[in-house]
Amino acid sequence: MNKFTVTGLNDYIKDVLANDFLLQEIYVEGEVADYKKNNSGHLYFLIKDESSKIKCAFYCYKNEEEITLENGMKVFIKGKISTYDQNSTYQINVDYVEELGIGKLKREFRKTLEKLEKEGLFDEEHKKEIPKYPRRLGLIASSTSAGFRDIVKVLRRRTNMIDIILYDSFVQGDMAVANINSGLDYFNQKNDVDLILIARGGGSYEELAVFNDESMARKIFASKIPVMTAVGHQIDSFIADLVADKRCATPSEAAEIISKYYYELPDLLDQSIIQISFLMNHYISSEESNLKNKRDLINSWNTKTLIDNFYSKTNNLMILIKKEMDKYIYSKEKKVDMLASRLIYSSVSKRIDGANNTIEKRIVNINQAMNNKLSAMTEDLQKFKLRLTINDIYKTLRRGYFLVSDLDNKTIKDANDIKVGSDIFIKSYNSSIKAHVLEVNNDIKL
């Protein structure tokens, strides 16, 4: 019979556990419960699954990363089994803790978000303008995904002006980040697209978490070509969305935004045509009004008044020319008198005679030139007067002719321009008759 004291039994169990090789380095996955942290910084908690639970101790000198736990957190721990003599219990002395599941992913998201935000990668000043009319779209997506099919369907329904260049990529899993980064490099090196779209339809947070990758965010930020993202569902938001130049809720919405101006172009053209037609009609109406005013002004001119005005202006001009020539001759004669008075006592009489002859010749030449100019002007004036006299409508009317015009004083030159039932003016040289047309006969020949 093996008889033990309580302490002896505890010591024996402790030795058995301590000497069991499998229990000296164990790995356990479970959920944190009954979490506590004492004043010394040691962490005490239970790790449990659906059926069982084990006590754990994570001493502060082991917790180099200063991990903080929460009840309900999924964790993966490494440690070894040991006993606690006073309570005759065993526990796991933890050497390492790693958070699992969405909790871990969201903690990494917040850490990356804070880091990149401090660096200014999300600032609006760095956002590139999305082109209104992209001709070539660089699409990074899986060719088998629903998101890719949605984009192609929407774009083809709304416009045929956009070429889609697909970079077929994984959008979840271990290869996704490297594939998407390669796609960004590819389009930037080729530099033959106007816009890059990274697209993926809905999925679990774990599947979509690749879009929180820091290296991807930096690739998007460094892109020389504007980048749009359309990842997950409308409520999802990832690091890639925040650093992109434009974030769309879904792939379909991205396609609608990209094709927006092409889709609205027919309406814009219709509006432009209406506006151009209005401006042209306004211009034509304005010019017609100006033309009518000028025609009315010409019709109102009086030939005799024009001739009188011309004669008056010509006479005034001749008077002004003669006045200026008289002033010029007077000044020259005065200068000659002054020269003569200076030379009166000089013995060089020949020089005086020569100067007088020169001056007299110049005066003669000036008078001759002025007379020639006046004669030419008078001749031109007589010719102009003769032409005006020949074409004077009033002399024509005095010979028994009449001038026919409509009520707007527009001269009627052809009987075909007169309508039965209209009113007309018949003007002689000294009177005007208003008549009503009863009949128009075009068969009368003179």
Side-chain angles (χ1 to χ4, degrees):
M1 180 180 66
N2 295 322
K3 183 180 179 181
F4 293 95
T5 63
V6 174
T7 300
L9 181 57
N10 279 336
D11 289 341
Y12 178 78
I13 294 172
K14 183 176 182 180
D15 289 340
V16 171
L17 296 176
N19 291 319
D20 189 327
F21 175 75
L22 293 177
L23 300 178
Q24 298 310 300
E25 185 173 299
I26 59 175
Y27 300 88
V28 182
E29 182 177 324
E31 180 181 324
V32 174
D34 198 21
Y35 167 72
K36 296 177 183 177
K37 181 178 181 180
N38 69 10
N39 294 332
S40 300
H42 304 317
L43 309 182
Y44 298 97
F45 59 94
L46 299 176
I47 186 168
K48 67 175 186 175
D49 57 19
E50 295 81 0
S51 305
S52 305
K53 55 187 176 182
I54 303 174
K55 289 185 177 182
C56 299
F58 192 18
Y59 300 113
C60 62
Y61 55 84
K62 294 282 188 179
N63 188 8
E64 295 178 354
E65 297 183 6
E66 298 183 355
I67 293 174
T68 300
L69 303 178
E70 295 177 0
N71 290 328
M73 181 184 291
K74 301 282 188 181
V75 293
F76 174 78
I77 64 173
K78 172 190 173 185
K80 62 181 179 179
I81 294 293
S82 67
T83 60
Y84 186 61
D85 296 342
Q86 291 181 354
N87 294 331
S88 299
T89 58
Y90 67 90
Q91 64 182 22
I92 302 174
N93 287 342
V94 179
D95 296 322
Y96 170 79
V97 175
E98 179 180 340
E99 186 178 2
L100 299 176
I102 295 178
K104 177 186 178 182
L105 296 175
K106 291 190 174 180
R107 288 178 190 276
E108 291 176 348
F109 166 78
R110 288 193 290 269
K111 183 178 178 181
T112 304
L113 177 69
E114 183 178 349
K115 178 181 179 181
L116 299 184
E117 190 171 26
K118 286 181 180 179
E119 295 182 26
L121 268 67
F122 308 141
D123 293 350
E124 285 296 323
E125 63 188 66
H126 300 305
K127 304 294 185 186
K128 292 177 281 294
E129 185 177 359
I130 303 300
K132 291 183 177 180
Y133 298 98
R135 292 290 291 113
R136 290 169 61 84
L137 171 66
L139 177 58
I140 301 175
S142 171
S143 60
T144 61
S145 67
F148 169 69
R149 292 192 295 272
D150 289 344
I151 290 170
V152 174
K153 179 180 177 182
V154 173
L155 287 181
R156 289 295 170 259
R157 187 184 74 241
R158 291 164 65 88
T159 181
N160 59 357
M161 299 295 291
I162 301 175
D163 296 331
I164 302 173
I165 295 87
L166 173 66
Y167 187 91
D168 198 359
S169 170
F170 289 108
V171 287
Q172 70 181 57
D174 296 337
M175 297 293 294
V177 172
N179 272 189
I180 293 171
N181 288 349
S182 295
L184 289 165
D185 288 337
Y186 171 81
F187 286 124
N188 274 275
Q189 289 169 6
K190 294 280 288 185
N191 196 29
D192 62 351
V193 297
D194 305 305
L195 178 65
I196 297 173
L197 173 61
I198 302 172
R200 186 232 145 93
S204 66
Y205 190 87
E206 290 89 340
E207 292 172 336
L208 299 173
V210 295
F211 294 97
N212 287 327
D213 183 81
E214 180 179 342
S215 67
M216 186 190 300
R218 294 191 183 279
K219 287 284 185 183
I220 294 172
F221 182 79
S223 175
K224 297 176 182 178
I225 302 169
V227 177
M228 292 177 62
T229 57
V231 177
H233 302 287
Q234 192 166 6
I235 60 173
D236 298 325
S237 183
F238 301 93
I239 297 292
D241 295 327
L242 298 175
V243 75
D245 300 300
K246 175 71 176 177
R247 184 253 176 182
C248 304
T250 63
S252 296
E253 182 187 72
E256 290 176 354
I257 291 174
I258 291 169
S259 59
K260 177 179 187 295
Y261 291 96
Y262 284 117
Y263 187 69
E264 296 175 351
L265 193 57
D267 292 337
L268 293 175
L269 290 176
D270 289 343
Q271 293 176 10
S272 298
I273 291 171
I274 292 172
Q275 188 174 10
I276 291 172
S277 299
F278 172 78
L279 293 175
M280 288 182 64
N281 291 334
H282 179 73
Y283 175 77
I284 292 171
S285 176
S286 176
E287 290 303 310
E288 287 179 344
S289 177
N290 290 337
L291 185 61
K292 181 180 181 302
N293 292 336
K294 291 177 181 179
R295 185 174 61 243
D296 292 344
L297 179 62
I298 292 173
N299 290 335
S300 67
W301 283 350
N302 186 305
T303 307
K304 183 175 183 305
T305 302
L306 287 174
I307 295 173
D308 292 342
N309 288 340
F310 183 81
Y311 266 117
S312 176
K313 290 181 179 180
T314 304
N315 289 334
N316 291 337
L317 181 61
M318 292 178 65
I319 293 171
L320 180 62
I321 292 173
K322 187 175 185 308
K323 184 176 180 182
E324 292 298 321
M325 292 300 298
D326 289 343
K327 287 172 62 177
Y328 178 79
I329 294 171
Y330 176 76
S331 66
K332 293 299 181 181
E333 287 177 344
K334 190 172 182 180
K335 186 175 289 188
V336 169
D337 292 340
M338 290 175 63
L339 290 173
S341 64
R342 289 179 184 176
L343 296 174
I344 195 168
Y345 298 106
S346 173
S347 60
V348 288
S349 59
K350 291 183 178 181
R351 294 177 63 185
I352 294 174
D353 292 340
N356 284 332
N357 290 336
T358 300
I359 293 170
E360 289 175 359
K361 288 180 180 180
R362 290 184 178 178
I363 292 173
V364 170
N365 290 338
I366 290 171
N367 285 327
Q368 185 64 42
M370 184 182 72
N371 290 331
N372 291 340
K373 184 67 176 177
L374 291 175
S375 297
M377 291 179 63
T378 302
E379 184 177 352
D380 290 341
L381 181 61
Q382 293 298 330
K383 291 179 180 179
F384 181 71
K385 180 179 179 182
L386 179 60
R387 287 199 301 271
L388 291 177
T389 302
I390 292 172
N391 295 318
D392 189 352
I393 186 66
Y394 288 95
K395 286 194 174 185
T396 302
L397 296 178
R398 284 180 178 274
R399 295 201 300 272
Y401 290 94
F402 291 88
L403 177 66
V404 181
S405 66
D406 59 20
L407 297 184
D408 293 327
N409 285 324
K410 181 180 178 181
T411 301
I412 298 173
K413 299 179 180 180
D414 193 328
N416 291 323
D417 295 334
I418 302 176
K419 296 181 180 180
V420 173
S422 63
D423 293 331
I424 58 174
F425 284 128
I426 302 174
K427 301 177 182 178
S428 68
Y429 78 95
N430 61 355
S431 63
S432 176
I433 302 170
K434 184 177 180 180
H436 184 72
V437 179
L438 299 177
E439 180 182 357
V440 177
N441 191 341
N442 294 320
D443 297 331
I444 298 176
K445 295 183 179 179
L446 299 177

